[in-house]
Amino acid sequence: MPFIQTQVSISVTKEQEEKLKERLGQAITVIGKSETWLMIRLEDNCRLFFQGEKSEKIAFVEIKLYGKADRQSYEEMTKRVSDIFEEVLDIPKNKLYVTYQEYSHWGFNGSNF
């Protein structure tokens, strides 16, 4: 039950969107989750500011999951997410934040896990 929400300051083509979806689906296995349950939200053309400036290329990525993962898994996931956004959208690693939230209650299909 992972959810990845992304906000980027640039326009994203359908091809880039597909690549992001595919690559994030592969990367989520690092924290013990599966693409089978992965939901992704991609917002492009967001007005984002970093270090007091409106950056041309910037991204904010939130990763929410049911359960927990260890610090090493989060480190590897951050590396992969940073690589993905740099390779697919040309967003520099120093213009990207990644956050994580863990949940002990998660609803789906009318009930909770």
Side-chain angles (χ1 to χ4, degrees):
M1 280 43 68
F3 176 62
I4 300 177
Q5 180 169 292
T6 66
Q7 297 171 324
V8 297
S9 61
I10 61 173
S11 293
V12 177
T13 67
K14 292 292 180 190
E15 181 181 281
Q16 290 170 320
E17 183 179 272
E18 187 61 31
K19 284 181 185 177
L20 283 175
K21 180 191 73 70
E22 180 183 312
R23 303 249 336 250
L24 290 171
Q26 294 166 355
I28 201 68
T29 61
V30 168
I31 53 177
K33 301 300 177 179
S34 164
E35 184 179 20
T36 302
W37 294 100
L38 176 61
M39 184 181 287
I40 299 172
R41 178 179 181 185
L42 174 62
E43 293 180 67
D44 63 352
N45 296 312
C46 292
R47 291 183 304 226
L48 298 171
F49 297 82
F50 184 60
Q51 298 176 328
E53 302 289 328
K54 184 173 184 187
S55 296
E56 186 176 311
K57 293 183 178 183
I58 189 171
F60 183 72
V61 179
E62 296 175 87
I63 300 173
K64 302 175 184 194
L65 63 132
Y66 174 67
K68 297 183 179 280
D70 60 45
R71 182 170 178 81
Q72 183 178 350
S73 297
Y74 286 139
E75 290 285 341
E76 180 61 26
M77 186 66 183
T78 298
K79 181 187 179 321
R80 289 195 187 194
V81 167
S82 298
D83 289 345
I84 291 166
F85 278 76
E86 188 171 62
E87 292 165 12
V88 176
L89 299 180
D90 197 33
I91 295 176
K93 293 175 184 176
N94 67 346
K95 298 287 183 177
L96 179 135
Y97 276 161
V98 181
T99 65
Y100 299 91
Q101 292 178 319
E102 299 173 335
Y103 295 90
S104 58
H105 303 282
W106 198 285
F108 169 73
N109 198 23
S111 63
N112 290 328
F113 291 98

